[in-house]
Amino acid sequence: MKAKQVTLVNRPDGAPTTSDFAIEEVDLPSPKHGEVLVKNHWMSVDPYMRLSLSGPDGLHGIMPLGDVPSGGAVGEIVESNVDTLSVGQMVVSPAMGWREAYVSIAEGLTPIDDSAGPIQRILGIYGLTGVTAWGGINGVLKPQSGETLFINGAAGAVGSVALQLAKKAGAAVIGSAGSDAKCNWVTDTLGADHCINYKSENVKERLAELAPDGIEMFFDNVGGEQLEIAIDAMKPRGRMALCGAIALYDGENYRTGPDNLFAIIEKHVSMTGFNAGFYYDRAPKIIAEFAAAIASGDLIWEETVAHGIADAPRAFVDMLAGANSGKMLVKL
Ligand SMILES: NC(=O)c1ccc[n+]([C@@H]2O[C@H](COP(=O)([O-])OP(=O)(O)OC[C@H]3O[C@@H](n4cnc5c(N)ncnc54)[C@H](OP(=O)(O)O)[C@@H]3O)[C@@H](O)[C@H]2O)c1
């Protein structure tokens, strides 16, 4: 069987471009005993993938040039030499995205069905995105009624879910996002009280206007300048959940810290970094909670969808540049 896949052909210096990737066609071998052939239906593009394309080295490592990037995918078993996986079964893999099809052993492939909703949600609200949003809000920040949350990346996958969880807990929410259209969606559809367009407004001044006494909570998807602004805006004993730092991913060192860290000592602020991996043991409960909330109309889940393996590099580059509302996915 022939299958197309994406490879990394150039290390980006700054923002990745589609020319950093190539599409190649490969001949897949027939699956041997203990192996399956999987045809992917969906793949995910996520900010963390940027960290493997060029240094500094971190949790995800730096991938070799010529390799296929790693990423989540949902696929269908089309040939099976494994007793536990039959033809037609849908499986999710955390690593075998960026390709139309692959041959694999069963380990690492998790059988899934669409009983909780469209199958691709396992790459978003019922997977990494949802567990991250839940962990940051319910595991770290634990919002109380009457408190104010500032959350950036508010129109993105994690941010759009996290802000709705905070609203449901009774908090006031100030979001930030990269366009007026996104900000309108964040307030009018997702229910945030305010949204700052960080590209056209002064975030520090606007946040001071919207929360003159300061904020109790901060959910950080962006890092950099917005993190420093939030530290200055924290009330004494405030809580910060550090989820990501996408504003730094194209720079020399995304692992660097803010300049005003001492203010968290002065104000007795707690700053908790977190990783979805610490909450995956609760995934079945989180998925059930989200499925019920989506079904009843209490939770809005949005997907921005690109089509075909050839468009995967553009979907990834565009997601990093802010073209998505909610989760960016590629339908294969
Ligand atoms: N800790 C964990 O376990 C975990 C898990 C998943 C994701 N994350 C992190 O959570 C964050 C959001 O991830 P996601 O999957 O939900 O992605 P996403 O928010 O759906 O997509 C990325 C968004 O980042 C925004 N962005 C890009 N460059 C920016 C900049 N310089 N300043 C401000 N915003 C910028 C863009 O929106 P605008 O149009 O608003 O600019 C873009 O749409 C990322 O930092 C990611 O690394 C962490």
Side-chain angles (χ1 to χ4, degrees), residues 20 57 76 94 140 184 203 216 234 274 281 296 318 324 327:
D20 294 328
D57 204 354
E76 179 183 354
V140 179
N184 290 339
V203 178
E216 283 86 7
M234 293 309 292
F274 73 101
D281 56 339
S296 66
D318 282 1
N324 58 309
K327 178 81 184 90

Side-chain angles (χ1 to χ4, degrees), residues 46-48 128 132 153 156-159 177-178 182 198-199 221-222 226 243-247 249 274-276 319-324 326:
D46 294 272
Y48 76 83
L128 178 66
T132 304
V158 171
K182 282 189 175 187
Y198 74 89
K199 288 185 179 164
N221 288 308
V222 169
Q226 290 198 45
C243 176
I246 196 165
Y249 293 173
F274 73 101
N275 183 308
M319 177 276 299
L320 294 173
N324 58 309

Side-chain angles (χ1 to χ4, degrees), residues 174 194-196 201-211:
I174 302 168
H194 304 280
C195 183
I196 303 169
E201 297 182 277
N202 181 313
V203 178
K204 192 174 182 68
E205 287 175 13
R206 194 78 187 103
L207 191 59
E209 278 167 25
L210 294 170

Side-chain angles (χ1 to χ4, degrees), residues 102-117:
Y102 60 91
V103 171
S104 170
I105 57 170
E107 197 185 340
L109 303 181
T110 307
I112 51 167
D113 60 39
D114 59 2
S115 55

